[in-house]
Amino acid sequence: MRWRAPLVTALAAAVLSAGACSGADGDAGGAPHGLVPLPAEVVYRGAGFTIPADLVITAPPEAAGAAGQLAAAVREATGRAPRTGEGGAVRLELTGGGSPGPGPGGAAGPEAVLEGPEAEAYELTVDSGGVRIRAARPVGLFRGVQTLGQLLPATGPARASGTTGVTLPGVRIADRPRFAWRGAMLDVARHFFTVEEVKRYIDLVSAYKINVLHLHLSDDQGWRLAIAGRPELTEAGGATEVGGGPGGFYTEQDYREIVAHARERFVEVVPEIDMPGHVNAALTADPELSCDGRRREPYTGTDVGFSALCVGTPAVDRFVADVVGELARMTPGPYLHIGGDEVSELAPERYDRFVERAQELVGAAGKRAVGWQEIGGSRLAPGTVTQYWQTGRTPEEALSAVRQGGRLVMSPASRTYLDMKYDSGTRLGLRWAGLIEIEDAYDWDPAAMIPGVGDGQVLGVEAPLWTETAETMDDLEYLAFPRLPAVAEVAWTPQRARDFDGFAARLAGHGPRWAALGVDFHRSGAVAWPG
Ligand code: TNX
């Protein structure tokens, strides 16, 4: 997939301008201009703004990144690059009220991503005089720019040969996300994906205001992140993958490159090292970590639940401390994911002991822990996040997490698992959690899923993409699109403003854009894809 590398920058701009817009008067209430996710409040009204050839964008220095993305999107749509400077017809304004920290290039921002919905709020107005985006934080300006990008026509002059006079619709938008955490998980352990592929995935999903990339970095089949002082983990543990392919791993520099790329798009990387189960790859590297002291053979199948760390031994304690310490050192974001799922090889007391010790280490490193729903049955530290996944089982662990004051990230398998088949004919994917068509991915309320778990207990929503059956970038894209945008809208848009028909109508215009970008997507029958 190396040929895709040069595409990445152009892609970021092009995806930003995904969506359909007639450029004519707004069609109040109808299928408005392909905005996905739908903003909290949007009113089309009055005359629009025709982009002049000499457009100027005015932005404070803290919003240089957002201004740059916008300039690229305008250039893509009109064929002309706008200038940045004073007195522009397009203005990005910081209204203050935040306490911005240092971010990429000295700008303020990424730290705000997971602070809460208000941190990402913005207002966007388009009238005949121009465009104004206002927000308290740079991240809000960035979200506003992402929305504006979707108001640009779906096909620019480069493709539509010489079209001029792009007109944005007159509109007033007041927007903020419903949930703070809007995640996409990528399993790079079952099949390995290169830095360029991960960056492309970030570009594609961040256009839908996803703000968390949860990287599943280890499992039975592979260990994908270099840990200083333990080179055998990646040398032995990174050498294969499902099906026996060559696998691979990220060096510290690779990982930092991914994190930086994500942060430029206001996406926070949450790294996961899955413990104390799902550790066969670590046991191929270091036999001391298993209770019988036996070195394991590499595993290239797709079973789960057969491996475990020998929790409680000094060797395992050192290992967990080293891994958590290194993850914390390399990760600027506030969360580290410790896994915790599907451990059948360990007595409950030892499982609890692991969860408590891991949280201690994460806390000591200045981070907060995230774990799969099973950790909810153990004692949780304040601030630990529990990721609900297994629909069809009593939600005891999730309820226990909530009773302890914890919040949930909702990843119900029957709705959000992007590795499930769409229908029985889908060439890829599993089906243990059911077939998931786009309507299934869309039509649910995260705060109405578990009795006793309402909005206040839900930190957010995440769509995992497990890769037992996904080997290539095309496979990832086919499974994620269009279900990822559906889950992104579940996470962003107020429940009362959502309905599937409206979503399907708005989504249709994204198809041609994906096609133009070479994104392999599933043409769900419920959407009237143009062309
Ligand atoms: C369950 S969800 C798993 C993964 C598999 C996935 C396949 C979870 C926490 N564990 O190990 O890859 O199903 O759909």
Side-chain angles (χ1 to χ4, degrees):
M1 289 289 132
R2 208 162 291 220
W3 58 273
R4 289 191 191 278
L7 273 180
V8 167
T9 314
L11 178 71
V15 166
L16 198 62
S17 60
C21 167
S22 63
D25 286 348
D27 47 341
H33 304 287
L35 295 182
V36 176
L38 185 67
E41 293 169 39
V42 44
V43 180
Y44 291 94
R45 63 164 194 211
F49 174 63
T50 300
I51 298 175
D54 57 351
L55 181 71
V56 176
I57 298 174
T58 304
E62 298 91 326
Q69 290 262 356
L70 181 55
V74 169
R75 191 184 56 229
E76 181 75 14
T78 65
R80 285 175 182 273
R83 219 164 38 78
T84 45
E86 294 301 310
V90 173
R91 284 170 295 150
L92 310 187
E93 296 174 5
L94 276 179
T95 58
S99 51
E111 292 72 17
V113 164
L114 281 165
E115 279 176 24
E118 278 314 312
E120 294 181 85
Y122 69 93
E123 287 174 8
L124 165 62
T125 313
V126 180
D127 59 30
S128 60
V131 176
R132 189 176 69 167
I133 304 176
R134 305 176 79 225
R137 300 285 190 91
V139 63
L141 292 180
F142 190 82
R143 299 290 172 235
V145 163
Q146 290 179 309
T147 301
L148 184 59
Q150 292 191 356
L151 293 173
L152 289 164
T155 47
R159 282 181 294 272
S161 62
T163 318
T164 51
V166 168
T167 298
L168 298 164
V171 70
R172 204 189 113 65
I173 291 171
D175 201 11
R176 83 200 61 78
R178 179 180 180 192
F179 295 114
W181 178 304
R182 304 178 307 280
M185 190 211 82
L186 184 60
D187 171 9
V188 295
R190 269 52 176 274
H191 280 101
F192 181 67
F193 294 88
T194 64
V195 171
E196 291 307 324
E197 289 170 328
V198 175
K199 285 184 181 175
R200 178 170 161 101
Y201 196 64
I202 292 168
D203 292 344
L204 293 172
V205 304
S206 65
Y208 297 94
K209 301 191 172 82
I210 289 293
N211 67 354
V212 170
L213 177 73
H214 167 183
L215 276 180
H216 185 75
L217 288 164
S218 72
D219 213 300
D220 291 314
Q221 299 86 345
W223 185 286
R224 308 300 181 200
L225 180 64
I227 299 294
R230 293 181 178 263
E232 67 286 356
L233 279 173
T234 41
E235 276 162 20
T240 192
E241 60 189 358
V242 167
F249 65 89
Y250 308 122
T251 63
E252 175 173 347
Q253 195 187 342
D254 291 338
Y255 177 72
R256 288 192 184 277
E257 195 177 322
I258 291 169
V259 169
H261 188 85
R263 293 197 122 204
E264 282 165 18
R265 287 149 189 80
F266 291 90
V267 173
E268 203 69 271
V269 170
V270 175
E272 176 188 356
I273 294 293
D274 201 350
M275 303 178 281
H278 290 265
V279 292
N280 187 77
L283 304 185
T284 66
D286 185 354
E288 259 204 279
L289 302 175
S290 71
C291 282
D292 60 15
R294 222 169 23 85
R295 186 184 293 280
R296 298 300 192 271
E297 293 299 316
Y299 182 68
T300 59
T302 60
D303 285 347
V304 294
F306 59 86
S307 62
L309 297 173
C310 195
V311 172
T313 63
V316 166
D317 202 57
R318 275 197 307 276
F319 170 80
V320 177
D322 286 356
V323 167
V324 168
E326 278 297 285
L327 272 188
R329 185 179 64 76
M330 290 187 266
T331 304
Y335 289 101
L336 305 181
H337 202 305
I338 58 173
D341 58 317
E342 299 177 317
V343 188
S344 49
E345 293 288 293
L346 219 53
E349 312 74 61
R350 293 179 94 190
Y351 178 82
D352 290 345
R353 182 164 166 185
F354 167 79
V355 173
E356 286 175 28
R357 180 71 183 133
Q359 291 177 101
E360 238 169 63
L361 291 163
V362 169
K367 305 291 185 185
R368 273 171 274 171
V370 189
W372 295 105
Q373 74 183 34
E374 288 92 329
I375 69 161
S378 305
R379 185 152 9 122
L380 298 185
T384 293
V385 172
T386 302
Q387 187 166 9
Y388 174 76
W389 64 277
Q390 198 170 21
T391 34
R393 207 164 84 165
T394 55
E396 264 325 301
E397 292 146 343
L399 288 171
S400 163
V402 164
R403 269 198 304 275
Q404 297 183 67
R407 293 212 282 169
L408 306 182
V409 168
M410 299 297 289
S411 299
S414 60
R415 301 291 189 172
T416 67
Y417 269 33
L418 303 178
D419 64 317
M420 294 299 124
K421 289 178 182 293
Y422 289 95
D423 55 47
S424 53
T426 307
R427 70 180 170 88
L428 302 166
L430 305 176
R431 53 187 309 165
W432 66 264
L435 301 171
I436 305 182
E437 247 306 343
I438 183 171
E439 191 161 0
D440 306 303
Y442 187 83
D443 228 346
W444 62 288
D445 179 354
M449 185 121 219
I450 306 175
V453 176
D455 269 281
Q457 287 80 42
V458 175
L459 178 61
V461 177
E462 185 173 298
L465 181 36
W466 302 101
T467 57
E468 284 94 336
T469 67
E471 292 178 48
T472 66
M473 191 73 217
D474 279 350
D475 293 348
L476 298 183
E477 291 167 5
Y478 184 76
L479 291 167
F481 292 89
R483 290 181 293 196
L484 185 283
V487 177
E489 182 156 308
V490 171
W492 181 280
T493 306
Q495 187 67 18
R496 60 175 158 71
R498 297 203 294 117
D499 77 281
F500 180 71
D501 291 344
F503 171 70
R506 281 179 284 110
L507 189 68
H510 294 236
R513 179 64 57 163
W514 295 331
L517 293 170
V519 173
D520 190 10
F521 68 100
H522 171 65
R523 295 180 162 267
S524 295
V527 178
W529 304 104

